[in-house]
Amino acid sequence: MRRCLQLAEHGKGCVAPNPMVGSVIVCKGKIIGEGFHRQYGSSHAEVNAINMVKDHFLLKESTLYVNLEPCSHYGKTPPCAELIIKKQIPKVVIGTLDPFPEVAGKGVGMLKEAGIELTVGILEDECQRLNRRFFTFHQKHRPYIFLKWAQSSDGFIDRIRQEGDGQLPVRFSDDFTQIMVHKMRAEESAIMVGSRTEKLDKPQLNVRCWFGQNPLIIKPLRENPLALQMQELYEQKIQSLVVEGGACLLQSFIDENLWDEARIEVSNIKLNAGVDAPVLSGVLKNVHKCKKTSVLIFHNHFKP
């Protein structure tokens, strides 16, 4: 199952709104096939793993491992559960059930009805964590929300600036953390900044220091409650959103408890005065030490 998770992660940034899925086929203690979902609209992990097996007769003596319940419906591709049954694979081990209403236990039901021996719930927390965007989207009916900002060592995100005063924003990021930001943009569906940040900084909000697609730029609507706008993004099938600034917009997401992960770059630069950084409470999960900054990763108690 850990190998399934490793494989699945290769699809990050390429498969949304589908989940990241990896699959491994084992026969008599030996891996004979493995695969992952590479691109939205292309074949699923189970199909790729089965296609890797040179002798399909061995499938009748094998166990198929997959981190997410095999699909049971016709979408862009035929149901994986049907293929597993057709190939007479006798055992299937599943990390977690699929929250998508079109599947949600139906895949397991099809396999059980066909007499396949099932084990469900292996590394379940890790499997759900990998696809936290997918689970949040289907269970909370909103995107998975990342908050991101950079700040000085004494808690300011910028100097006090006014439109037209010619002052540039303070750059806290170093080359490495800038790459991390662009990688993050490439992996998520959409990005948002406040209107003041847009006027002052005119950020491009695209992917330049990494490979991948540019996120969709979302403009916050002042008279529209954030929860309602997140509902609209759900209806547009946007699974993840990065909120990059400014301080007021970030704090409004925090105050309404509309966030799942926060990535805060803390620089060794000291400003002494300026625009206060947002304040949040969450669980500090990781710290990445860079040359001039530390990147703090907070989670807001992810519960699928």
Side-chain angles (χ1 to χ4, degrees):
M1 190 57 68
R2 293 198 187 280
R3 179 59 178 158
C4 289
L5 292 170
Q6 288 177 342
L7 291 165
E9 197 154 11
H10 290 307
K12 184 181 286 186
C14 300
V15 300
N18 284 353
M20 293 176 279
V21 183
S23 182
V24 174
I25 299 172
V26 176
C27 181
K28 298 178 181 178
K30 181 182 178 182
I31 292 177
I32 60 171
E34 61 181 29
F36 64 95
H37 185 31
R38 294 175 177 272
Q39 186 80 37
Y40 176 67
S42 68
S43 54
H44 289 185
E46 301 94 318
V47 176
N48 291 332
I50 288 170
N51 287 342
M52 185 181 171
V53 177
K54 293 180 180 179
D55 183 358
H56 278 210
F57 182 80
L58 294 176
L59 293 173
K60 298 178 182 180
E61 302 175 353
S62 298
T63 300
L64 182 144
Y65 294 80
V66 63
N67 59 290
L68 190 71
E69 177 183 7
C71 63
S72 56
H73 67 298
Y74 283 87
K76 295 281 185 181
T77 60
C80 291
E82 279 189 5
L83 180 63
I84 292 168
I85 294 167
K86 180 181 176 182
K87 294 296 182 179
Q88 301 179 43
I89 298 173
K91 297 180 181 180
V92 175
V93 179
I94 298 168
T96 186
L97 296 179
D98 191 326
F100 181 44
E102 292 291 329
V103 184
K106 297 183 182 72
V108 164
M110 287 176 63
L111 298 175
K112 276 184 180 177
E113 193 174 328
I116 292 172
E117 182 182 331
L118 292 176
T119 303
V120 181
I122 302 301
L123 300 182
E124 186 169 26
D125 288 347
E126 292 177 47
C127 291
Q128 292 183 0
R129 181 74 200 158
L130 175 70
N131 278 308
R132 56 196 182 277
R133 301 161 183 81
F134 186 74
F135 276 84
T136 297
F137 180 80
H138 287 293
Q139 295 184 332
K140 296 185 179 179
H141 293 180
R142 65 163 175 80
Y144 189 88
I145 300 169
F146 294 88
L147 306 182
K148 183 270 169 191
W149 73 86
Q151 66 180 61
S152 65
S153 60
D154 52 351
F156 300 103
I157 64 169
D158 201 358
R159 306 182 188 93
I160 302 292
R161 293 185 294 137
Q162 300 298 329
E163 188 177 1
D165 65 10
Q167 288 194 79
L168 295 175
V170 180
R171 180 178 175 178
F172 296 115
S173 301
D174 56 31
D175 291 341
F176 181 74
T177 55
Q178 186 177 29
I179 290 171
M180 289 176 66
V181 168
H182 285 247
K183 180 177 183 291
M184 181 183 187
R185 290 178 182 175
E187 293 172 348
E188 310 309 335
S189 304
I191 192 167
M192 177 186 284
V193 295
S195 55
R196 180 173 171 80
T197 300
E198 185 179 23
K199 286 179 182 179
L200 284 174
D201 300 342
K202 296 179 174 56
Q204 297 181 61
L205 303 177
N206 58 10
V207 178
R208 303 185 301 281
C209 302
W210 197 256
F211 301 97
Q213 295 183 344
N214 294 328
L216 179 67
I217 297 175
I218 306 293
K219 293 189 176 182
L221 304 176
R222 287 186 178 179
E223 296 176 359
N224 203 357
L226 284 178
L228 182 58
Q229 191 165 4
M230 295 306 102
Q231 171 69 27
E232 291 173 354
L233 295 184
Y234 167 78
E235 292 168 0
Q236 295 172 40
K237 297 185 178 180
I238 293 173
Q239 274 196 8
S240 59
L241 174 69
V242 180
V243 184
E244 281 206 14
C248 290
L249 181 65
L250 287 161
Q251 194 64 55
S252 64
F253 273 89
I254 294 167
D255 292 345
E256 295 192 31
N257 200 32
L258 270 175
W259 68 281
D260 300 288
E261 242 172 271
R263 302 187 183 189
I264 307 169
E265 295 178 31
V266 181
S267 170
N268 59 10
I269 296 172
K270 190 174 183 179
L271 290 185
N272 296 314
V275 179
D276 289 332
V279 178
L280 62 74
S281 60
V283 179
L284 180 62
K285 299 296 286 189
N286 211 339
V287 179
H288 300 287
K289 296 282 188 180
C290 304
K291 286 184 179 179
K292 298 179 180 179
T293 61
S294 295
V295 182
L296 312 182
I297 310 294
F298 288 87
H299 290 174
N300 192 16
H301 299 288
F302 168 73
K303 292 292 182 183

